Amino acid sequence: MSQTIFLKNPAYIVGSFSVAGKREKQGPLGTTFNITEEDEYFGQNTHERAECEMFKMALEGAIGDSKISEDKIEVMLAGDLLNQITSSSFAARDFDIPFIGLYGACSTMALSLAVGSLLVSGGFVKNAVLASGSHFGTAERQYRMPLELGSTRPPTAQWTATGVGATVLSDGAVKGSPRITAVTFGKVVDWGEVDVNNMGSAMAPATADTITRHLRGTKTKPEDYDAIYTGDLGILGSKILRKLLKDEKINISKVHRDCGEMLYSEKQNRTQWQGASGCGCSAIVLNGYIMGKLQRGEYKKILFVATGALLSPVSSFQGNTIPGIAHAVVIEG
Amino acid sequence: MKTRQEERNEKYLEYVKSISPKSKMWPSLLWAFLVGGLICIVGQGLYMLYEHITPYDALGVGGLVAVTLIGIAAILTGLGVYDKIGKFAGGGSIIPITGFSNAATAAAMEHRKEGIIFGTMTNMFKIVGPVLVAGVALSMLVGFIYWIIWLF
């Protein structure tokens, strides 16, 4: 049975906004973000507060971009990487909008788009605002080592992106607004990876599963999409994904791009290795770079597959393997 | 008997391993040797200096050298320099006493925002704690063995 959900009434993307940090600004997509900030603290005194501040900026920006007044937005769906998703829920207290916290690790942007578009498409809400993001400093502290520790990063490691992306969905189209027409939720897939420094390998099987199911469910081929964007598999993870799909006789090489691979320049990746990761990675690439292309009509139809590794520091210290997940949404321009 | 799933995972992880980039061993070793050696040379230089300018014996001078190196590393950590050295020096800057200082200072700085007691003091030995525990436990063990040998 097909596990793809087709939206008879599409959910329109009427507002989008991206906030990014200094390193992301220096990367090749630096000019596509709405706000980039040199100060890693965003005027706050901790990285955690900075992440929360980015959420506020992105949410306000997206709502402003949509030109829908705040009281007409019926629900906010947001999530981040921190324990108890404090960044997004703390940001939500400054808005007069009911809040649903989501956790999908780095797949949260696609998860929120998927859930939000179902709510809008089903006629349960007229307008919804979604957000997802991460901060390098907070993720390092939670998952890895203190920032000033003089340790080396293994060559399979990725770099958590600093940034928040927000999107406003609506049941009514504004001229030229892209729309979400189908959704495939991901299964939790675990092929036994235990290395916390090889997230690409942990997430690739889940991504391959979601893409395979999506293409079969929608009876489409990779070439039917102008691009298939994966979230943050990184350089190595993308290679693994293409191989896994090839085993299923699916060749996505021509249309596949990975947000984690794109966010930083080759020179930056000489020390950051496999590229970017984190909730913010796919969120800012979607709401910055990809949305621009959709709005300019350069893309007619894309598949956006954000990917997440569902581990915690405790689970990995206790020797558990790392399950992955990937959610897919079809965005048509 | 392996299940099909286990077999699939094994095959997958083998494939991942085969295409994952490895750390370059020889450059890493060279950098570790150079930086680690440099730290030791600085230590030796300080030792010779202190022998001249202080009235202490070998034990006292050794202590002074250690304290100086720990101090320098802590300051370099605070200035955000030590982690940059560590990125290419690897074990060369982790294993000497300066690495110990860096790990304690980095943890203390990282958790300063949670307050002096529950932040800095609680977390300061988060990374270097195992070294202390292993040091104390092993010295007890060695002391015990020593004592038994002297009984006979």
Side-chain angles (χ1 to χ4, degrees):
Chain A
M1 202 186 99
S2 153
Q3 286 161 324
T4 298
I5 303 166
F6 297 92
L7 306 186
K8 223 182 268 168
N9 312 309
Y12 295 91
I13 297 174
V14 294
S16 61
F17 206 81
S18 53
V19 179
K22 187 179 170 189
R23 205 176 282 266
E24 291 67 33
K25 183 189 178 179
Q26 289 164 346
L29 308 183
T31 53
T32 62
F33 307 124
N34 296 94
I35 296 181
T36 47
E37 177 74 57
E38 293 281 320
D39 173 21
E40 61 182 277
Y41 284 97
F42 285 76
Q44 307 294 309
N45 62 352
T46 68
H47 285 145
E48 283 73 13
R49 289 202 182 114
E51 187 172 318
C52 185
E53 185 64 23
M54 287 195 294
F55 263 96
K56 276 190 236 166
M57 290 160 78
L59 286 162
E60 270 166 17
I63 294 169
D65 185 40
S66 73
K67 301 192 178 61
I68 296 171
S69 65
E70 201 181 307
D71 58 326
K72 294 224 172 68
I73 295 176
E74 292 149 274
V75 67
M76 177 190 294
L77 300 154
D80 55 84
L81 284 177
L82 299 193
N83 293 336
Q84 288 81 37
I85 51 168
T86 46
S87 306
S88 39
S89 50
F90 282 19
R93 66 186 166 190
D94 288 343
F95 293 86
D96 212 9
I97 304 171
F99 172 74
I100 301 177
L102 297 175
Y103 185 79
C106 309
S107 73
T108 306
M109 194 66 234
L111 178 63
S112 64
L113 282 171
V115 176
S117 61
L118 294 189
L119 290 175
V120 170
S121 171
F124 301 106
V125 300
K126 283 182 111 41
N127 306 303
V129 63
L130 333 162
S132 162
S134 53
H135 189 294
F136 175 72
T138 62
E140 283 298 301
R141 175 209 279 261
Q142 181 169 304
Y143 291 100
R144 286 173 277 270
M145 290 294 183
L147 292 175
E148 295 300 332
L149 186 73
S151 56
T152 46
R153 303 168 69 82
T156 51
Q158 285 168 263
W159 190 277
T160 308
T162 299
V164 175
T167 311
V168 177
L169 294 180
S170 174
D171 61 354
V174 180
K175 195 172 170 284
S177 53
R179 57 195 194 279
I180 298 174
T181 53
V183 166
T184 305
F185 284 103
K187 290 182 193 166
V188 178
V189 177
D190 187 342
W191 281 20
E193 182 59 73
V194 287
D195 185 359
V196 293
N197 283 306
N198 199 343
M199 290 294 155
S201 151
M203 299 186 293
T207 319
D209 174 76
T210 302
I211 293 179
T212 310
R213 281 189 299 116
H214 180 85
L215 294 177
R216 287 187 185 145
T218 53
K219 298 200 173 59
T220 50
K221 295 187 292 295
E223 296 75 46
D224 295 335
Y225 300 89
D226 293 317
I228 295 178
Y229 280 96
T230 49
D232 57 349
L233 294 175
I235 299 163
L236 177 63
S238 298
K239 214 190 266 179
I240 300 172
L241 172 72
R242 291 195 280 262
K243 146 88 165 64
L244 290 177
L245 286 173
K246 216 175 207 171
D247 293 347
E248 298 286 324
K249 311 247 177 316
I250 297 170
N251 185 355
I252 59 162
S253 319
K254 271 193 202 128
V255 287
H256 176 232
R257 303 197 72 184
D258 182 73
C259 302
E261 209 174 337
M262 295 159 61
L263 192 58
Y264 299 128
S265 67
E266 226 167 273
K267 191 172 157 241
Q268 282 175 311
N269 281 342
R270 242 173 262 163
T271 49
Q272 284 147 215
W273 305 112
Q274 302 301 329
S277 67
C279 274
C281 172
S282 59
I284 57 174
V285 176
L286 175 78
N287 287 292
Y289 178 76
I290 300 175
M291 214 55 90
K293 281 194 167 266
L294 282 162
Q295 279 158 356
R296 288 192 300 272
E298 286 167 43
Y299 285 152
K300 287 273 161 282
K301 187 180 185 184
I302 65 152
L303 185 64
F304 176 71
V305 194
T307 50
L310 301 169
L311 80 166
S312 81
V314 176
S315 77
S316 45
F317 277 131
Q318 293 183 349
N320 292 295
T321 53
I322 307 168
I325 193 160
H327 304 289
V329 290
V330 176
I331 307 175
E332 295 187 34
Chain B
M1 202 27 212
K2 270 183 214 147
T3 62
R4 265 174 68 184
Q5 207 178 5
E6 279 168 349
E7 254 172 54
R8 178 203 64 193
N9 289 2
E10 229 167 70
K11 230 177 98 193
Y12 174 65
L13 294 175
E14 229 165 74
Y15 162 72
V16 169
K17 211 174 149 194
S18 74
I19 65 158
S20 295
K22 316 266 178 308
S23 298
K24 293 190 187 85
M25 188 170 84
W26 292 109
S28 305
L29 283 177
L30 181 72
W31 277 114
F33 176 75
L34 288 178
V35 176
L38 186 73
I39 294 171
C40 296
I41 290 172
V42 172
Q44 185 62 32
L46 286 169
Y47 190 95
M48 284 149 77
L49 178 73
Y50 288 157
E51 260 183 335
H52 275 287
I53 61 169
T54 65
Y56 303 113
D57 60 354
L59 200 64
V61 170
L64 273 180
V65 171
V67 168
T68 313
L69 286 176
I70 287 172
I72 294 173
I75 290 168
L76 288 179
T77 305
L79 294 174
V81 176
Y82 205 90
D83 64 317
K84 296 201 172 67
I85 300 171
K87 263 190 195 121
F88 62 87
S93 60
I94 293 172
I95 294 168
I97 199 165
T98 50
F100 190 88
S101 165
N102 165 246
T105 316
M109 284 167 64
E110 182 88 5
H111 293 279
R112 172 68 188 83
K113 299 279 159 56
E114 284 109 83
I116 299 277
I117 295 173
F118 291 107
T120 303
M121 286 164 130
T122 308
N123 291 295
M124 194 161 175
F125 292 97
K126 206 166 87 172
I127 300 164
V128 296
V131 183
L132 295 179
V133 174
V136 172
L138 285 176
S139 54
M140 278 166 66
L141 185 72
V142 170
F144 187 69
I145 294 170
Y146 208 62
W147 175 69
I148 288 183
I149 291 171
W150 274 99
L151 279 183
F152 304 103

